[in-house]
């Protein structure tokens, strides 16, 4: 669903509902013009069939991508409920839609599109009973009073649904994208009326008028409205703090916040208040994420090391994409081309050394001549080369070790080192234990050439990119 201004122009569940709703309203209104048809035929069900056909055609013409097909399934199930004389908006129908989607593509369960779409719809369905509570009438109203009341209810409903959907999808956005959009409420409040009342109706009218050659003025109106939506998007996106980079949520925090969403959605009683417990725990875990201290790419071409100031310092030559992912996961808003990303690394032609927390040092070796010095004085040695068997560092990630582990993240604890890698999962290594390396040289291999000590803090070494 479109939750922020920058996202509202995409083909999404919002557009699918608007398109299907437009077909449904037009068909029902046209059939109601004939009294005989309105009295003798099931007009509402005929309109539901027209909406299902129109939504299917819209899906085909929009490209039939995964998100659009998922939205189509949800829409068809809800209009199918009308044919079966069931409420269109219900958790039962949402559950049927989820089962159909997962039967078609089971892997979608772990993707952000499925989680955010169904999470937003489920949260808004839990809001519907609150918004539909009967309110006592204050007596006869004039036409102006009725119009003002309708406009006020529309604005309140738009803001309430946007706020609820934003809160429901925030944990998934933080987990998958490490970003939050605090001004999404403003963007949607400004852009959604244009999309709902101008863009989508114009699209339907343009298609209907096209065979008669009367579609030109309709497309002009639609183009004007789309231009205003884009201007609103740019305006909101230009506000300072419109996109907030946050640390990636842990599995525990995401699971607790997802449980809170389920508790809010499923019970139809005061038991919903129990959702505050897992929600509070999830927010507490999210506020204190367990960040890693070292990130190493799968081939050892680069690494990110947390310096003594708590921010990541980059060594080697990781790709800009990898750097951006590491920064996002750490909640760091700096860009991949920021010159300050390397200023805390002490580098020379043989490699780099970064002072990590608790006075420990991490060495990134780029030449065989640096092994003797770095293996003797650094706690962690990272290299794309084969380290000598005599390397005395607590943890050695050389070529063979990285080949066995893949991309690796390391947390430097007080008593042990936690290693998480793609291929080996989680490993624990005590500081006073044996050297951990999957890449030992064979007996008789030539050891690294010793060189004068020249690459540790306290000595005259240049900072920045190695030669």
């Amino acid at each position: 669903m479109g939750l922020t201004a920058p996202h509202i122009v995409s083909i999404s569940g919002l557009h699918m509902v608007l398109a299907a709703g437009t077909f449904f309203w037009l068909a029902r209104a046209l059939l109601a013009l004939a009294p005989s048809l309105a009295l003798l035929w099931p007009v509402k069900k005929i309109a539901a069939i027209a909406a299902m056909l129109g939504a299917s055609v819209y899906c085909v013409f929009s490209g039939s991508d995964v998100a659009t097909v998922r939205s189509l399934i949800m829409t068809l199930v809800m209009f199918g409920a009308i044919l079966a004389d069931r409420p269109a908006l219900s958790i039962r129908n949402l559950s049927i839609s989820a089962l159909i989607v997962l039967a078609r593509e089971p892997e979608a369960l772990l993707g952000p599109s499925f989680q955010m779409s169904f999470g937003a719809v489920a949260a808004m369905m839990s809001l519907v009973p609150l918004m539909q509570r009967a309110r006592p009438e204050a007596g006869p109203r004039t036409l102006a009073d009725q119009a003002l009341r309708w406009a006020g209810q529309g604005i309140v409903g738009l803001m309430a649904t946007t706020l609820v959907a934003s809160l429901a999808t925030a944990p998934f956005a933080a987990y998958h994208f490490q970003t939050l959009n605090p001004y999404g409420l403003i963007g949607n409040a400004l852009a959604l009326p244009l999309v709902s009342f101008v863009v989508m109706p114009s699209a339907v009218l343009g298609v209907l008028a096209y065979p008669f050659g009367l579609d030109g003025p309709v497309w002009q109106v639609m183009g004007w409205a789309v231009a205003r939506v884009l201007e609103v998007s740019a305006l909101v996106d230009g506000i300072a703090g419109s996109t907030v980079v946050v640390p990636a949520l842990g599995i525990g925090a995401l699971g607790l916040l997802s449980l809170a969403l389920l508790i809010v959605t499923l019970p139809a009683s005061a038991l919903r208040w129990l959702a505050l417990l897992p929600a509070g725990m999830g927010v507490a875990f999210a506020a204190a994420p367990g960040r890693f201290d070292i990130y190493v790419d799968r081939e050892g071409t680069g690494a990110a090391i947390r310096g003594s100031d708590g921010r990541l310092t980059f060594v080697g030559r990781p790709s800009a994409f990898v750097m951006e992912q590491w920064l996002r996961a750490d909640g760091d808003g700096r860009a991949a081309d920021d010159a300050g990303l390397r200023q805390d690394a002490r580098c020379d032609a043989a490699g780099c050394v970064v002072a990590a927390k608790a006075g420990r040092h991490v060495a990134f070796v780029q030449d065989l001549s640096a092994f003797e010095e770095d293996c003797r004085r650094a706690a962690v040695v990272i290299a794309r080369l084969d380290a000598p068997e005599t390397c005395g560092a607590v943890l050695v990630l050389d070529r063979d070790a990285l080949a066995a582990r893949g991309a690796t993240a390391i947390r430097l604890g007080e008593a042990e080192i936690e290693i998480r890698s793609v291929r080996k999962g989680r490993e624990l290594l005590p500081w006073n234990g044996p050297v951990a390396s999957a890449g030992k040289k064979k007996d008789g291999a030539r050891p690294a050439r010793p060189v004068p000590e020249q690459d540790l803090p306290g000595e005259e070494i240049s900072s920045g990119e190695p030669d």
Side-chain angles (χ1 to χ4, degrees):
M1 297 192 62
L3 299 178
T4 63
H7 298 154
I8 201 169
V9 295
S10 64
I11 300 298
S12 61
L14 171 66
H15 286 186
M16 183 63 69
V17 170
L18 290 175
T22 302
F23 282 113
F24 179 77
W25 181 86
L26 284 176
R28 193 173 184 183
L30 291 175
L31 291 173
L33 293 177
S36 59
L37 295 180
L39 292 174
L40 300 177
W41 289 18
V43 173
K44 185 177 181 180
K45 293 184 178 181
I46 295 175
I49 295 175
M52 295 170 73
L53 293 175
S56 301
V57 172
Y58 175 78
C59 178
V60 172
F61 278 96
S62 64
S64 301
D65 61 8
V66 175
T68 312
V69 172
R70 186 176 302 119
S71 300
L72 175 64
I73 293 174
M74 296 174 65
T75 303
L76 294 180
V77 169
M78 292 183 181
F79 278 109
I82 294 178
L83 299 179
D85 295 319
R86 297 282 185 175
L89 294 175
S90 70
I91 293 298
R92 180 186 297 106
N93 294 340
L94 184 65
S95 302
I96 294 173
S97 301
L99 290 175
I100 295 174
V101 170
L102 292 177
R104 180 177 178 270
E105 43 176 337
E107 70 280 4
L109 179 63
L110 302 179
S113 180
F114 178 91
Q115 295 171 2
M116 297 178 73
S117 297
F118 282 91
V121 175
M124 287 189 289
M125 283 185 176
S126 67
L127 179 68
V128 169
L130 299 178
M131 299 183 65
Q132 290 182 340
R133 287 182 177 177
R135 297 179 180 179
E137 292 290 340
R141 294 177 180 270
T142 64
L143 183 61
D145 291 338
Q146 291 285 6
L148 289 176
R149 182 185 181 191
W150 177 84
Q153 289 177 345
I155 294 173
V156 171
L158 172 63
M159 297 182 67
T161 54
T162 300
L163 179 61
V164 169
S166 299
L167 291 175
T169 57
F172 306 112
Y175 179 79
H176 291 285
F177 308 115
Q178 296 82 56
T179 57
L180 295 177
N181 302 99
Y183 300 133
L185 184 62
I186 299 174
N188 275 355
L190 296 175
L192 271 177
L194 285 171
V195 175
S196 303
F197 300 115
V198 182
V199 175
M200 295 310 301
S202 297
V204 176
L205 290 176
V207 171
L208 296 176
Y210 176 77
F212 307 100
L214 303 176
D215 57 314
V218 179
W219 298 133
Q220 292 179 358
V221 173
M222 181 179 177
W224 175 87
V226 169
R228 303 291 82 75
V229 171
L230 293 177
E231 289 177 0
V232 169
S233 174
L235 175 65
V236 175
D237 192 51
I239 301 176
S242 61
T243 300
V244 179
V245 180
V246 297
L249 294 186
I251 295 296
L254 181 65
L256 287 168
L257 293 172
S258 300
L259 177 62
L261 178 60
L262 290 175
I263 295 177
V264 166
T265 303
L266 296 180
S269 65
L271 291 175
R272 291 178 173 178
W273 290 102
L274 293 176
L276 292 176
L277 180 60
M281 295 174 62
V283 170
F285 286 162
R291 302 179 181 178
F292 289 97
D293 298 304
I294 303 172
Y295 298 93
V296 186
D297 66 12
R298 61 183 180 180
E299 295 179 351
T301 55
I305 304 165
R306 192 176 308 282
S308 55
D309 62 351
R311 299 208 301 175
L312 293 178
T313 295
F314 287 80
V315 294
R317 293 180 175 83
S319 67
F321 174 79
V322 170
M323 293 174 66
E324 181 181 347
Q325 297 307 307
W326 286 341
L327 290 170
R328 288 287 187 100
D330 202 56
D332 194 327
R334 291 178 293 174
D337 57 355
D338 192 327
L341 294 176
R342 299 177 181 271
Q343 65 181 5
D344 293 332
R346 303 176 65 85
C347 301
D348 61 13
C352 300
V353 172
V354 178
K357 62 183 183 182
R360 299 184 175 103
H361 297 95
V362 179
F364 184 81
V365 177
Q366 293 183 296
D367 190 88
L368 289 172
S369 63
F371 274 118
E372 192 276 337
E373 175 68 17
D374 291 339
C375 287
R376 181 162 51 88
R377 300 184 62 180
V380 178
V381 172
I382 304 167
R384 199 177 182 183
L385 309 170
D386 288 328
E389 189 175 358
T390 56
C391 187
V394 178
L395 175 62
V396 179
L397 289 176
D398 62 356
R399 178 164 55 187
D400 291 342
L402 291 171
R405 288 187 172 93
T408 302
I410 302 168
R411 184 178 290 114
L412 305 178
E414 294 295 332
E416 58 189 8
I417 303 175
E418 179 185 354
I419 308 169
R420 288 185 181 269
S421 58
V422 173
R423 297 190 180 98
K424 286 195 173 184
R426 184 172 183 262
E427 305 170 80
L428 294 177
L429 174 69
W431 282 107
N432 58 355
V435 175
S437 174
K440 296 297 186 181
K441 284 190 175 294
K442 298 179 181 179
D443 294 339
R446 180 169 62 106
R449 301 188 305 273
V451 295
E453 298 179 2
Q454 60 177 6
D455 56 0
L456 289 177
E459 302 174 17
E460 298 297 330
I461 303 299
S462 63
S463 299
E465 183 73 23
D467 296 335

PDB file of all heavy atoms in Angstrom, residues 11 16 55-70 72 104-105:
ATOM      1  N   ILE A  11       2.377   1.172  -8.493  1.00  0.00           N
ATOM      2  CA  ILE A  11       1.228   0.281  -8.612  1.00  0.00           C
ATOM      3  C   ILE A  11       1.136  -0.522  -7.322  1.00  0.00           C
ATOM      4  O   ILE A  11       2.039  -1.260  -6.967  1.00  0.00           O
ATOM      5  CB  ILE A  11       1.395  -0.667  -9.805  1.00  0.00           C
ATOM      6  CG1 ILE A  11       1.516   0.145 -11.095  1.00  0.00           C
ATOM      7  CG2 ILE A  11       0.239  -1.632  -9.898  1.00  0.00           C
ATOM      8  CD1 ILE A  11       0.304   0.977 -11.411  1.00  0.00           C
ATOM      9  N   MET A  16      -5.126  -0.632  -6.697  1.00  0.00           N
ATOM     10  CA  MET A  16      -6.002  -1.736  -7.062  1.00  0.00           C
ATOM     11  C   MET A  16      -7.392  -1.549  -6.463  1.00  0.00           C
ATOM     12  O   MET A  16      -8.418  -1.747  -7.128  1.00  0.00           O
ATOM     13  CB  MET A  16      -5.390  -3.054  -6.587  1.00  0.00           C
ATOM     14  CG  MET A  16      -6.194  -4.289  -6.969  1.00  0.00           C
ATOM     15  SD  MET A  16      -6.304  -4.518  -8.756  1.00  0.00           S
ATOM     16  CE  MET A  16      -4.594  -4.941  -9.118  1.00  0.00           C
ATOM     17  N   ALA A  55     -10.752  -5.114 -12.209  1.00  0.00           N
ATOM     18  CA  ALA A  55      -9.495  -5.218 -11.466  1.00  0.00           C
ATOM     19  C   ALA A  55      -8.530  -6.172 -12.158  1.00  0.00           C
ATOM     20  O   ALA A  55      -7.314  -5.930 -12.196  1.00  0.00           O
ATOM     21  CB  ALA A  55      -9.779  -5.685 -10.038  1.00  0.00           C
ATOM     22  N   SER A  56      -9.062  -7.257 -12.726  1.00  0.00           N
ATOM     23  CA  SER A  56      -8.195  -8.207 -13.429  1.00  0.00           C
ATOM     24  C   SER A  56      -7.580  -7.571 -14.670  1.00  0.00           C
ATOM     25  O   SER A  56      -6.383  -7.743 -14.952  1.00  0.00           O
ATOM     26  CB  SER A  56      -8.999  -9.451 -13.816  1.00  0.00           C
ATOM     27  OG  SER A  56      -9.546 -10.083 -12.673  1.00  0.00           O
ATOM     28  N   VAL A  57      -8.401  -6.830 -15.431  1.00  0.00           N
ATOM     29  CA  VAL A  57      -7.880  -6.135 -16.612  1.00  0.00           C
ATOM     30  C   VAL A  57      -6.845  -5.101 -16.203  1.00  0.00           C
ATOM     31  O   VAL A  57      -5.794  -4.954 -16.838  1.00  0.00           O
ATOM     32  CB  VAL A  57      -9.037  -5.483 -17.390  1.00  0.00           C
ATOM     33  CG1 VAL A  57      -8.497  -4.601 -18.515  1.00  0.00           C
ATOM     34  CG2 VAL A  57      -9.970  -6.546 -17.947  1.00  0.00           C
ATOM     35  N   TYR A  58      -7.108  -4.378 -15.122  1.00  0.00           N
ATOM     36  CA  TYR A  58      -6.153  -3.380 -14.626  1.00  0.00           C
ATOM     37  C   TYR A  58      -4.827  -4.028 -14.260  1.00  0.00           C
ATOM     38  O   TYR A  58      -3.756  -3.485 -14.534  1.00  0.00           O
ATOM     39  CB  TYR A  58      -6.760  -2.678 -13.415  1.00  0.00           C
ATOM     40  CG  TYR A  58      -5.824  -1.711 -12.738  1.00  0.00           C
ATOM     41  CD1 TYR A  58      -5.585  -0.450 -13.271  1.00  0.00           C
ATOM     42  CD2 TYR A  58      -5.180  -2.050 -11.548  1.00  0.00           C
ATOM     43  CE1 TYR A  58      -4.735   0.446 -12.647  1.00  0.00           C
ATOM     44  CE2 TYR A  58      -4.321  -1.160 -10.930  1.00  0.00           C
ATOM     45  CZ  TYR A  58      -4.111   0.084 -11.476  1.00  0.00           C
ATOM     46  OH  TYR A  58      -3.260   0.954 -10.864  1.00  0.00           O
ATOM     47  N   CYS A  59      -4.887  -5.202 -13.627  1.00  0.00           N
ATOM     48  CA  CYS A  59      -3.663  -5.926 -13.250  1.00  0.00           C
ATOM     49  C   CYS A  59      -2.857  -6.300 -14.490  1.00  0.00           C
ATOM     50  O   CYS A  59      -1.633  -6.146 -14.517  1.00  0.00           O
ATOM     51  CB  CYS A  59      -4.013  -7.164 -12.437  1.00  0.00           C
ATOM     52  SG  CYS A  59      -2.594  -8.166 -11.951  1.00  0.00           S
ATOM     53  N   VAL A  60      -3.538  -6.772 -15.535  1.00  0.00           N
ATOM     54  CA  VAL A  60      -2.847  -7.170 -16.762  1.00  0.00           C
ATOM     55  C   VAL A  60      -2.172  -5.973 -17.419  1.00  0.00           C
ATOM     56  O   VAL A  60      -1.005  -6.010 -17.803  1.00  0.00           O
ATOM     57  CB  VAL A  60      -3.822  -7.849 -17.740  1.00  0.00           C
ATOM     58  CG1 VAL A  60      -3.152  -8.093 -19.084  1.00  0.00           C
ATOM     59  CG2 VAL A  60      -4.336  -9.159 -17.154  1.00  0.00           C
ATOM     60  N   PHE A  61      -2.905  -4.858 -17.529  1.00  0.00           N
ATOM     61  CA  PHE A  61      -2.364  -3.677 -18.218  1.00  0.00           C
ATOM     62  C   PHE A  61      -1.281  -2.988 -17.398  1.00  0.00           C
ATOM     63  O   PHE A  61      -0.444  -2.277 -17.954  1.00  0.00           O
ATOM     64  CB  PHE A  61      -3.487  -2.693 -18.537  1.00  0.00           C
ATOM     65  CG  PHE A  61      -4.241  -3.031 -19.781  1.00  0.00           C
ATOM     66  CD1 PHE A  61      -5.425  -3.752 -19.718  1.00  0.00           C
ATOM     67  CD2 PHE A  61      -3.771  -2.656 -21.026  1.00  0.00           C
ATOM     68  CE1 PHE A  61      -6.123  -4.078 -20.866  1.00  0.00           C
ATOM     69  CE2 PHE A  61      -4.467  -2.984 -22.181  1.00  0.00           C
ATOM     70  CZ  PHE A  61      -5.641  -3.700 -22.104  1.00  0.00           C
ATOM     71  N   SER A  62      -1.257  -3.178 -16.064  1.00  0.00           N
ATOM     72  CA  SER A  62      -0.241  -2.528 -15.235  1.00  0.00           C
ATOM     73  C   SER A  62       1.054  -3.328 -15.163  1.00  0.00           C
ATOM     74  O   SER A  62       2.023  -2.878 -14.555  1.00  0.00           O
ATOM     75  CB  SER A  62      -0.780  -2.306 -13.817  1.00  0.00           C
ATOM     76  OG  SER A  62      -1.036  -3.551 -13.186  1.00  0.00           O
ATOM     77  N   GLY A  63       1.091  -4.511 -15.765  1.00  0.00           N
ATOM     78  CA  GLY A  63       2.324  -5.275 -15.807  1.00  0.00           C
ATOM     79  C   GLY A  63       2.304  -6.587 -15.061  1.00  0.00           C
ATOM     80  O   GLY A  63       3.203  -7.402 -15.226  1.00  0.00           O
ATOM     81  N   SER A  64       1.315  -6.810 -14.217  1.00  0.00           N
ATOM     82  CA  SER A  64       1.163  -8.081 -13.487  1.00  0.00           C
ATOM     83  C   SER A  64       2.407  -8.453 -12.696  1.00  0.00           C
ATOM     84  O   SER A  64       2.832  -9.603 -12.686  1.00  0.00           O
ATOM     85  CB  SER A  64       0.805  -9.218 -14.464  1.00  0.00           C
ATOM     86  OG  SER A  64      -0.392  -8.953 -15.146  1.00  0.00           O
ATOM     87  N   ASP A  65       3.022  -7.467 -12.019  1.00  0.00           N
ATOM     88  CA  ASP A  65       4.152  -7.826 -11.174  1.00  0.00           C
ATOM     89  C   ASP A  65       3.652  -8.492  -9.897  1.00  0.00           C
ATOM     90  O   ASP A  65       2.450  -8.603  -9.659  1.00  0.00           O
ATOM     91  CB  ASP A  65       5.028  -6.611 -10.875  1.00  0.00           C
ATOM     92  CG  ASP A  65       4.275  -5.510 -10.132  1.00  0.00           C
ATOM     93  OD1 ASP A  65       3.133  -5.767  -9.717  1.00  0.00           O
ATOM     94  OD2 ASP A  65       4.832  -4.415  -9.963  1.00  0.00           O
ATOM     95  N   VAL A  66       4.575  -8.938  -9.073  1.00  0.00           N
ATOM     96  CA  VAL A  66       4.211  -9.754  -7.907  1.00  0.00           C
ATOM     97  C   VAL A  66       3.301  -8.989  -6.961  1.00  0.00           C
ATOM     98  O   VAL A  66       2.281  -9.506  -6.492  1.00  0.00           O
ATOM     99  CB  VAL A  66       5.490 -10.222  -7.184  1.00  0.00           C
ATOM    100  CG1 VAL A  66       5.138 -10.956  -5.907  1.00  0.00           C
ATOM    101  CG2 VAL A  66       6.314 -11.114  -8.100  1.00  0.00           C
ATOM    102  N   ALA A  67       3.649  -7.733  -6.655  1.00  0.00           N
ATOM    103  CA  ALA A  67       2.854  -6.958  -5.701  1.00  0.00           C
ATOM    104  C   ALA A  67       1.446  -6.702  -6.233  1.00  0.00           C
ATOM    105  O   ALA A  67       0.461  -6.737  -5.477  1.00  0.00           O
ATOM    106  CB  ALA A  67       3.559  -5.635  -5.403  1.00  0.00           C
ATOM    107  N   THR A  68       1.327  -6.460  -7.540  1.00  0.00           N
ATOM    108  CA  THR A  68       0.012  -6.203  -8.124  1.00  0.00           C
ATOM    109  C   THR A  68      -0.853  -7.454  -8.125  1.00  0.00           C
ATOM    110  O   THR A  68      -2.053  -7.397  -7.844  1.00  0.00           O
ATOM    111  CB  THR A  68       0.166  -5.678  -9.560  1.00  0.00           C
ATOM    112  OG1 THR A  68       1.139  -4.638  -9.575  1.00  0.00           O
ATOM    113  CG2 THR A  68      -1.142  -5.144 -10.078  1.00  0.00           C
ATOM    114  N   VAL A  69      -0.261  -8.594  -8.430  1.00  0.00           N
ATOM    115  CA  VAL A  69      -1.016  -9.855  -8.406  1.00  0.00           C
ATOM    116  C   VAL A  69      -1.495 -10.157  -6.987  1.00  0.00           C
ATOM    117  O   VAL A  69      -2.630 -10.610  -6.775  1.00  0.00           O
ATOM    118  CB  VAL A  69      -0.152 -11.004  -8.942  1.00  0.00           C
ATOM    119  CG1 VAL A  69      -0.840 -12.349  -8.742  1.00  0.00           C
ATOM    120  CG2 VAL A  69       0.167 -10.789 -10.422  1.00  0.00           C
ATOM    121  N   ARG A  70      -0.635  -9.872  -6.001  1.00  0.00           N
ATOM    122  CA  ARG A  70      -1.033 -10.095  -4.614  1.00  0.00           C
ATOM    123  C   ARG A  70      -2.209  -9.192  -4.252  1.00  0.00           C
ATOM    124  O   ARG A  70      -3.160  -9.630  -3.590  1.00  0.00           O
ATOM    125  CB  ARG A  70       0.171  -9.815  -3.702  1.00  0.00           C
ATOM    126  CG  ARG A  70      -0.074 -10.147  -2.235  1.00  0.00           C
ATOM    127  CD  ARG A  70       1.177  -9.939  -1.403  1.00  0.00           C
ATOM    128  NE  ARG A  70       2.247 -10.776  -1.925  1.00  0.00           N
ATOM    129  CZ  ARG A  70       3.393 -10.313  -2.397  1.00  0.00           C
ATOM    130  NH1 ARG A  70       3.599  -9.024  -2.421  1.00  0.00           N
ATOM    131  NH2 ARG A  70       4.326 -11.129  -2.827  1.00  0.00           N
ATOM    132  N   LEU A  72      -4.390  -8.021  -6.351  1.00  0.00           N
ATOM    133  CA  LEU A  72      -5.548  -8.517  -7.095  1.00  0.00           C
ATOM    134  C   LEU A  72      -6.218  -9.675  -6.356  1.00  0.00           C
ATOM    135  O   LEU A  72      -7.444  -9.735  -6.266  1.00  0.00           O
ATOM    136  CB  LEU A  72      -5.117  -8.956  -8.490  1.00  0.00           C
ATOM    137  CG  LEU A  72      -6.201  -9.612  -9.359  1.00  0.00           C
ATOM    138  CD1 LEU A  72      -7.315  -8.622  -9.653  1.00  0.00           C
ATOM    139  CD2 LEU A  72      -5.608 -10.164 -10.651  1.00  0.00           C
ATOM    140  N   ARG A 104       0.643 -19.839  -3.734  1.00  0.00           N
ATOM    141  CA  ARG A 104       1.192 -19.488  -5.047  1.00  0.00           C
ATOM    142  C   ARG A 104       2.687 -19.214  -4.980  1.00  0.00           C
ATOM    143  O   ARG A 104       3.452 -19.599  -5.857  1.00  0.00           O
ATOM    144  CB  ARG A 104       0.450 -18.267  -5.589  1.00  0.00           C
ATOM    145  CG  ARG A 104       0.922 -17.793  -6.955  1.00  0.00           C
ATOM    146  CD  ARG A 104       0.069 -16.614  -7.413  1.00  0.00           C
ATOM    147  NE  ARG A 104       0.531 -16.104  -8.698  1.00  0.00           N
ATOM    148  CZ  ARG A 104       1.440 -15.150  -8.829  1.00  0.00           C
ATOM    149  NH1 ARG A 104       1.978 -14.601  -7.747  1.00  0.00           N
ATOM    150  NH2 ARG A 104       1.815 -14.743 -10.018  1.00  0.00           N
ATOM    151  N   GLU A 105       3.140 -18.525  -3.925  1.00  0.00           N
ATOM    152  CA  GLU A 105       4.550 -18.187  -3.750  1.00  0.00           C
ATOM    153  C   GLU A 105       4.899 -18.231  -2.262  1.00  0.00           C
ATOM    154  O   GLU A 105       4.833 -17.212  -1.575  1.00  0.00           O
ATOM    155  CB  GLU A 105       4.848 -16.808  -4.341  1.00  0.00           C
ATOM    156  CG  GLU A 105       3.800 -15.744  -4.024  1.00  0.00           C
ATOM    157  CD  GLU A 105       4.198 -14.387  -4.557  1.00  0.00           C
ATOM    158  OE1 GLU A 105       5.397 -14.167  -4.772  1.00  0.00           O
ATOM    159  OE2 GLU A 105       3.300 -13.557  -4.763  1.00  0.00           O
TER     160      GLU A 105
END
